[in-house]
């Protein structure tokens, strides 16, 4: 039986005649933390939207925990936590009211809601802002609220799109520490173009360029025996 929790099988997405991604295939096994790299416009966000079921592929298959996200999206979504870049939050709500709202929307009963909110508040260190309006919070705390929300239903798989974008160095440090802790129990695909993120949280790299898979392997293989991740990034994107 396959241990794959995230599967992209010949994924292709066309917008008219333009192929945003073309024949992309990779998988992420249970317990892996994988960095999904590529330059801006490479197709990372499109791939993640296909994997999460937000978009339907033109060809190919996306699976989460064995569930086809085109034909059985609800079953796959129950196993999935998705944090998009600049994910939507309700600025007039507090973290408490937002988490209670989404717990109710996901069908958690009162004891489950109480226990899960307490747990994600602890994981994401939200105690000091729990009763403050989200619109008054720093970007770093808003990102933590978004992360708490995607962890609320105890998903086995996390897909995150640029989780540290726009944060200051202290906030980035906090989010990376959180990701390392979460990665001890979850399967994570982390989209980023920040190379320091790769070594900080991931053990493997999947690299996409111009909509096609350019590399899939360990961080050591990605380095290719060298020490400059920037140089490898430039090489894979055709820049010397």
């Amino acid at each position: 039986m396959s241990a794959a929790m995230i599967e992209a099988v010949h994924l292709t997405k066309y917008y008219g005649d333009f192929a945003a991604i073309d024949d992309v295939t990779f998988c992420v096994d249970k317990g892996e933390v994988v960095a999904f790299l590529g330059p801006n416009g490479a197709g990372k966000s499109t791939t993640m939207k296909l994997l999460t079921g937000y978009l339907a592929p033109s060809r190919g298959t996306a699976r989460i925990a064995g569930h086809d996200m085109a034909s059985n999206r609800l079953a796959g979504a129950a196993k999935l936590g998705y944090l998009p870049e600049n994910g939507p939050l309700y600025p007039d709500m507090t973290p408490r009211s937002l988490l209670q709202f989404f717990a109710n929307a996901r069908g958690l009963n009162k004891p489950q809601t109480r226990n899960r909110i307490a747990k994600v508040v602890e994981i994401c260190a939200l105690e000091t802002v729990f009763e403050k309006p989200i619109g008054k919070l720093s970007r770093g705390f808003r990102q933590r609220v978004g992360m708490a929300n995607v962890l609320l239903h105890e998903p086995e798989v996390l897909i995150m799109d640029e989780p540290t974008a726009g944060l200051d160095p202290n906030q980035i440090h906090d989010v990376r520490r959180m990701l390392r802790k979460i990665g001890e129990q979850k399967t994570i695909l982390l989209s980023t173009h920040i190379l320091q993120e790769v070594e900080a949280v991931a053990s493997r790299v999947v690299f996409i360029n111009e909509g096609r898979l350019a590399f899939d392997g360990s961080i050591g293989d990605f380095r290719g025996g060298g020490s400059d991740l920037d140089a490898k990034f430039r090489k894979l994107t055709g820049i010397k």
Side-chain angles (χ1 to χ4, degrees):
M1 188 173 180
S2 174
M5 297 298 286
I6 302 171
E7 298 173 86
V9 184
H10 302 298
L11 276 183
T12 300
K13 181 63 179 179
Y14 282 100
Y15 294 101
D17 294 330
F18 173 69
I21 64 167
D22 186 10
D23 197 33
V24 170
T25 296
F26 65 90
C27 71
V28 182
D29 287 340
K30 186 173 184 177
E32 278 195 296
V33 179
V34 174
F36 191 36
L37 297 182
N40 291 335
K44 299 190 302 297
S45 292
T46 297
T47 303
M48 299 181 101
K49 288 176 181 177
L50 292 169
L51 289 170
T52 57
Y54 279 75
L55 289 176
S58 302
R59 288 198 306 269
T61 305
R63 299 190 190 96
I64 297 294
H67 301 290
D68 187 322
M69 295 303 285
S71 62
N72 200 10
R73 183 173 180 263
L74 289 180
K79 303 287 187 180
L80 172 68
Y82 175 43
L83 183 66
E85 185 179 6
N86 301 317
L89 296 170
Y90 299 101
D92 293 335
M93 299 179 81
T94 65
R96 177 196 290 276
S97 60
L98 181 127
L99 292 171
Q100 287 177 333
F101 171 80
F102 280 105
N104 182 62
R106 290 186 175 277
L108 275 63
N109 61 35
K110 287 185 177 180
Q112 287 173 325
T113 296
R114 183 171 57 251
N115 291 338
R116 286 306 302 159
I117 288 178
K119 184 63 175 177
V120 298
V121 166
E122 177 188 356
I123 292 171
C124 299
L126 292 172
E127 294 89 349
T128 60
V129 299
F130 194 46
E131 303 290 358
K132 295 182 179 180
I134 292 170
K136 301 287 188 182
L137 302 183
S138 68
R139 183 179 175 87
F141 271 117
R142 291 199 301 271
Q143 196 74 327
R144 292 190 201 183
V145 173
M147 200 169 294
N149 187 31
V150 303
L151 292 171
L152 190 59
H153 61 297
E154 294 189 273
E156 297 178 43
V157 177
L158 296 175
I159 293 181
M160 300 182 177
D161 195 355
E162 303 286 359
T164 61
L167 303 186
D168 68 33
N170 289 335
Q171 293 167 338
I172 289 172
H173 174 79
D174 289 342
V175 170
R176 288 177 182 169
R177 178 173 48 81
M178 226 184 325
L179 287 173
R180 284 193 293 270
K181 182 176 180 180
I182 294 167
E184 294 173 1
Q185 298 180 328
K186 308 289 184 184
T187 301
I188 300 177
L189 180 66
L190 169 74
S191 170
T192 184
H193 63 272
I194 303 172
L195 296 182
Q196 294 93 330
E197 209 111 276
V198 178
E199 293 184 302
V201 301
S203 59
R204 181 173 142 225
V205 173
V206 172
F207 195 103
I208 191 171
N209 185 47
E210 296 182 345
R212 298 185 68 88
L213 190 69
F215 179 86
D216 182 357
S218 70
I219 291 178
D221 289 340
F222 185 71
R223 286 182 179 279
S227 59
D228 191 348
L229 296 180
D230 289 331
K232 184 67 172 184
F233 191 103
R234 291 192 297 273
K235 181 178 180 180
L236 288 171
T237 54
I239 298 174
K240 296 181 180 180

